[in-house]
Amino acid sequence: MRALFPGSFDPITQGHQDVLRRAALLFDEVVVCVMFNASKTGRFPIAERLDRLRAAAAGLGNVTVDSHTGGLLVDYCRRVGIDVVIRGVRGVADLDYEMPMARMNHELAGVETFFIAADPALAHISSTLVTAMGQHDRVPNDDLGDREAADPAVEGAAAGRRHAGHA
């Protein structure tokens, strides 16, 4: 079965990577797709997000990377023949946000939503938080033992800001 893991991935975080790895174990094929979100202002260009997703998917043979910037998620699903959408949820607030969309996707196109609970060690991470840390050239300490490296997206956000001339 094919599944779609959509998001703005602006930037991709360790939480996204964890959900992607876990989804790849559950589905025959996972398409991770940069989607346009009208309620968010893009921080990184689509091409850079796609490159970062390809790097995150390295070693996951059943994962492909794509983008869809025009139309609804269900339009993309219909076009490529996908009936399942994967969403990572960090807590109740995420679920409250995702449930109406899941119901609408099902009503419009019969697309089911498969929720993957965030790893508790990563549940506090969001793209917004990663970007905020990067804007201040801050990389949080990692006291998780087996996760020795800080989130590369934080460092990428800081580098992207410096590259854009905001340092």
Side-chain angles (χ1 to χ4, degrees):
M1 178 178 284
R2 298 177 75 211
L4 176 70
F5 181 28
S8 59
F9 303 109
D10 192 24
I12 187 168
T13 68
Q14 286 181 343
H16 293 133
Q17 292 174 33
D18 179 60
V19 169
L20 180 59
R21 281 190 299 271
R22 291 164 57 200
L25 294 171
L26 297 169
F27 293 93
D28 298 324
E29 180 185 353
V30 176
V31 178
V32 59
C33 188
V34 173
M35 305 290 287
F36 174 74
N37 184 337
S39 67
K40 293 184 178 181
T41 302
R43 298 173 198 112
F44 291 98
I46 299 280
E48 186 172 344
R49 292 185 236 170
L50 291 169
D51 288 343
R52 289 173 183 231
L53 283 171
R54 285 185 195 97
L60 301 174
N62 62 334
V63 174
T64 57
V65 176
D66 200 2
S67 66
H68 178 69
T69 56
L72 300 173
L73 179 139
V74 293
D75 297 334
Y76 179 86
C77 289
R78 283 182 182 148
R79 183 168 56 82
V80 299
I82 292 177
D83 297 318
V84 177
V85 170
I86 299 160
R87 298 302 293 161
V89 291
R90 295 168 289 187
V92 175
D94 283 354
L95 200 56
D96 285 344
Y97 176 81
E98 294 291 342
M99 286 301 294
M101 289 188 292
R103 289 184 190 113
M104 188 56 68
N105 290 339
H106 187 264
E107 185 176 316
L108 289 174
V111 172
E112 295 291 349
T113 301
F114 187 89
F115 295 107
I116 296 181
D119 178 333
L122 301 173
H124 66 288
I125 298 172
S126 70
S127 292
T128 302
L129 181 61
V130 165
T131 299
M133 294 294 95
Q135 288 173 339
H136 297 284
D137 294 328
R138 299 293 304 264
V139 178
N141 291 334
D142 185 24
D143 299 324
L144 301 177
D146 63 329
R147 300 183 204 284
E148 294 179 14
D151 195 323
V154 173
E155 294 171 7
R161 189 177 62 77
R162 286 189 298 271
H163 177 70
H166 296 105

